[in-house]
Amino acid sequence: MPEQARAGVAEAGAVREFCDAQWDAEVIPLVERHIRVPAVSPAYAPDWETRGHLDRAVDTAAAWLRESPLPGLRVEVLRAPGRTPLVFFEVPGEGSSAQDTVLFYGHLDKQPEGEGWTGGRSAWEPVFDGTRLYGRGGADDGYALPAAVTAVRALAEQGAARPRCVGVFEAGEESGSPDLGHWFSRLAPRIGEVGLVVCLDSGAGDHERLWLVTSLRGACGGTLDVRVLGDGAHSGDAGGVVPSSFRVLRQLLDRLEDGATGVLRPDALHCEVPADRRVQAREAAALLGEQVQDRFDWHGGTSPVTSDPEELLLNRAWRPSLEVTGADGLPPVASAGNVLRPHTRVKLSLRLPPAVDAAAALAEVGRIVEADPPYGSSVRFTPDRVLADGWHAPAEQPWLRAALSAAGRACFDGADVARIGQGGTIPLMGKLTRQFPEAQFLACGVLGPGANAHGPNESLHVPYARRLTSSLSLVLNGYALRAGHG
């Protein structure tokens, strides 16, 4: 046993060697099994209980956990009628304070299959090309549970200091985590006081260094319905007399968004960008350059909204955006007749800056689009029931900053850790910040360039995931050995 390990300090080379071997032997096969389960989240599969796929995904993960030789590991699957299942695990620490508890969070539910997968790839059949493991739910977020446990095992194998760890892996995150509050209330006595929260459900700027996610946007949305007639009418008869529902819809959307720039107009959807986050965006932009835009599959001559990578990063992380994600009342092009349609209904999805209250923002959107409808048309905005506030990470304590830097350099060939804000949403993060106000937060993940989570060809960049696992192990060791709380 190395002298460092005898003092409780993990040896980085041994950690990397163990984690790499575990990825080959156990993690990749487990993630492949996870991909094969069409565990679509309840928002997209209301009959999820009958289908049984969420239960299957949870049971597959729990079975793997129960076979782990990690000393003292306890595993439980929580179930209740009408509620999505959850995997909970607990493993005692070694050589650290009993108050040093790390909470791991991730999820096992998935987005729907979607269309557009490249030939030879599909959502539910894994394909590994030696670098990327393709399939729905591998990167988002099936890898997270085995990566977390592997990171802890790497320390146990050396006899290095490690904190007490608990894991909460739900099956409803893609639906806004509707059952997580229920499960957390039941688990609170067993979780205890948490000093470090680790979320592996986020992203990375590239695959060359460890990335720490420092903020997440919030999300809200709803359905906007514009009706001008009871029934459709001959377009030659009604055109020029009856206002087009689509044109009315465009006017309403223009109240929310500048059509030329994409900038959202209501002040209630914006917040001030903190100075330190601007600095981090500038530093990330200097590292990434055109990679900020090159990660997307641009069609033809389409270009980003600006060529400035710093502004793109700020747009994605700290400014609101609007997308129409669905529509009713529009027949397919092939069967579209000469009819002035009676109505147009669209689904609106808004991403909100981290410091904007989602409920207040959604109420303002409804007020704006329903006020004084053009031509007296019938306009109704129906807000989604599920919404989520954004998240802004607390300031890093010196021990975490030092541990991240050391881990990043050890696992990424000398490259230091970098920081970035992400445009996605993890509903739990804000709640955990309020529940554990003294805790530090380590939000990271594998959703870097090419991951394409939620879309076709979702993939897990395995070399990056290996290094992330090793980095996490070293940070856990740093947490267990930190002096005081500074």
Side-chain angles (χ1 to χ4, degrees):
M1 181 181 295
E3 188 65 33
Q4 281 185 313
R6 290 196 185 99
V9 179
E11 200 281 309
V15 165
R16 290 192 62 178
E17 183 177 349
F18 177 84
C19 291
D20 288 350
Q22 284 299 112
W23 265 88
D24 288 337
E26 296 189 26
V27 179
I28 291 176
L30 178 63
V31 177
E32 289 178 336
R33 292 200 295 275
H34 177 71
I35 287 171
R36 290 189 178 99
V37 181
V40 176
S41 198
Y44 312 99
D47 59 343
W48 64 270
E49 287 184 278
T50 302
R51 294 186 183 192
H53 298 313
L54 290 180
D55 284 307
R56 183 179 162 200
V58 164
D59 289 340
T60 298
W64 179 83
L65 277 171
R66 292 186 178 109
E67 294 295 320
S68 173
L70 191 54
L73 177 63
R74 299 171 57 191
V75 182
E76 182 179 350
V77 175
L78 280 68
R79 288 186 169 93
R83 296 193 184 275
T84 51
L86 177 144
V87 177
F88 176 75
F89 71 77
E90 178 181 2
V91 59
E94 180 67 34
S96 64
S97 169
Q99 284 73 43
D100 291 342
T101 294
V102 174
L103 170 62
F104 290 103
Y105 168 77
H107 67 91
L108 297 164
D109 59 315
K110 310 179 185 185
Q111 286 280 321
E113 177 179 9
E115 299 178 349
W117 291 76
T118 301
R121 302 173 190 160
S122 68
W124 313 130
E125 185 57 39
V127 174
F128 184 38
D129 66 6
T131 298
R132 290 187 176 274
L133 176 57
Y134 291 90
R136 177 69 78 228
D140 185 22
D141 187 32
Y143 88 99
L145 183 148
V149 173
T150 297
V152 178
R153 277 193 62 193
L155 300 178
E157 291 292 318
Q158 287 191 42
R162 65 181 191 276
R164 174 180 179 263
C165 296
V166 297
V168 174
F169 288 81
E170 63 161 321
E173 190 274 343
E174 300 290 4
S175 301
S177 301
D179 301 316
L180 203 54
H182 169 79
W183 293 128
F184 259 97
S185 65
R186 283 188 53 181
L187 290 170
R190 297 167 62 182
I191 291 173
E193 288 299 317
V194 173
L196 175 64
V197 175
V198 178
C199 174
L200 298 175
D201 186 29
S202 198
D206 61 19
H207 299 125
E208 308 306 318
R209 69 204 83 242
L210 176 64
W211 287 88
L212 177 69
V213 174
T214 57
S215 65
L216 296 162
R217 283 194 293 186
C220 67
T223 302
L224 178 58
D225 193 356
V226 176
R227 293 184 176 269
V228 295
L229 292 172
D231 293 308
H234 190 298
S235 61
D237 189 28
V241 177
V242 179
S244 161
S245 64
F246 192 85
R247 182 163 64 84
V248 173
L249 176 69
R250 284 163 46 199
Q251 293 180 50
L252 298 177
L253 293 181
D254 280 344
R255 297 178 181 180
L256 298 177
E257 180 187 57
D258 184 322
T261 65
V263 174
L264 296 194
R265 302 182 191 276
D267 290 340
L269 305 184
H270 293 263
C271 75
E272 189 69 26
V273 182
D276 59 338
R277 300 310 184 209
R278 286 187 176 276
V279 170
Q280 289 171 5
R282 188 173 308 120
E283 292 172 345
L287 290 171
L288 297 174
E290 292 187 355
Q291 291 183 74
V292 176
Q293 65 190 55
D294 289 347
R295 64 191 292 154
F296 301 105
D297 183 19
W298 298 94
H299 183 72
T302 308
S303 62
V305 298
T306 175
S307 60
D308 184 340
E310 180 181 341
E311 285 301 302
L312 291 176
L313 289 174
L314 289 172
N315 284 349
R316 189 181 71 171
W318 280 93
R319 291 167 185 151
S321 62
L322 171 67
E323 176 63 19
V324 175
T325 59
D328 291 330
L330 294 165
V333 171
S335 59
N338 291 322
V339 177
L340 194 147
R341 297 175 299 100
H343 82 107
T344 304
R345 181 168 58 229
V346 295
K347 181 71 185 315
L348 303 182
S349 173
L350 292 106
R351 296 289 178 170
L352 303 171
V356 168
D357 181 273
L362 190 58
E364 180 68 0
V365 167
R367 186 193 67 78
I368 290 171
V369 297
E370 288 188 338
D372 191 20
Y375 304 102
S377 55
S378 176
V379 174
R380 181 178 181 183
F381 181 72
T382 305
D384 291 344
R385 290 191 300 172
V386 177
L387 70 165
D389 290 329
W391 172 74
H392 186 198
E396 295 167 39
Q397 293 177 356
W399 76 263
L400 180 57
R401 183 172 290 273
L404 286 168
S405 182
R409 292 179 184 277
C411 298
F412 287 88
D413 303 324
D416 203 354
V417 63
R419 292 162 177 82
I420 195 169
Q422 288 284 63
T425 305
I426 303 176
L428 179 67
M429 294 300 282
K431 298 176 183 177
L432 289 179
T433 304
R434 293 188 292 271
Q435 185 171 349
F436 303 113
E438 302 302 318
Q440 290 284 274
F441 282 75
L442 175 54
C444 51
V446 296
L447 302 182
N452 214 29
H454 298 195
N457 302 314
E458 178 183 332
S459 66
L460 172 65
H461 192 280
V462 173
Y464 185 81
R466 294 177 195 267
R467 294 187 177 200
L468 176 60
T469 305
S470 301
S471 300
L472 173 59
S473 185
L474 295 176
V475 172
L476 294 175
N477 184 237
Y479 176 62
L481 294 173
R482 76 198 190 287
H485 298 279

